[in-house]
Amino acid sequence: MEHRLEAIERRLDRSEDKLDQVGKGISDLKGIVGKLEGKISMLPGYPGMAVLMSIVGGALIVITKLMEVGVTP
């Protein structure tokens, strides 16, 4: 009977070590997800993208108009 208890205690110790490793992995994963979440929140949404496209489009129109002024037919 004593031998069986010792075997169970050894298995329990190994299980506790594995659970500690899993817990550490989960906490590391939480940190990684938090960093990704912060980077994603910095990306512009649809309204921000529309504003950026409008600015770029307007700049292209101005540049093409300025280039037309310099061209003589």
Side-chain angles (χ1 to χ4, degrees):
M1 183 74 168
E2 192 69 30
H3 176 66
R4 294 172 116 182
L5 287 175
E6 289 175 6
I8 291 173
E9 287 175 349
R10 282 193 303 264
R11 286 182 183 172
L12 183 62
D13 288 340
R14 285 194 307 259
S15 296
E16 287 176 350
D17 290 341
K18 289 180 182 178
L19 283 174
D20 289 341
Q21 291 175 355
V22 168
K24 184 179 180 308
I26 289 174
S27 65
D28 291 345
L29 187 61
K30 283 181 182 179
I32 292 169
V33 169
K35 288 179 186 176
L36 287 175
E37 199 173 24
K39 289 182 180 181
I40 289 172
S41 69
M42 290 174 31
L43 294 174
Y46 289 118
M49 289 172 35
V51 169
L52 289 174
M53 290 174 62
S54 299
I55 291 170
V56 170
L60 288 175
I61 291 172
V62 168
I63 290 171
T64 56
K65 294 295 181 183
L66 289 175
M67 290 178 73
E68 288 177 3
V69 171
V71 177
T72 55

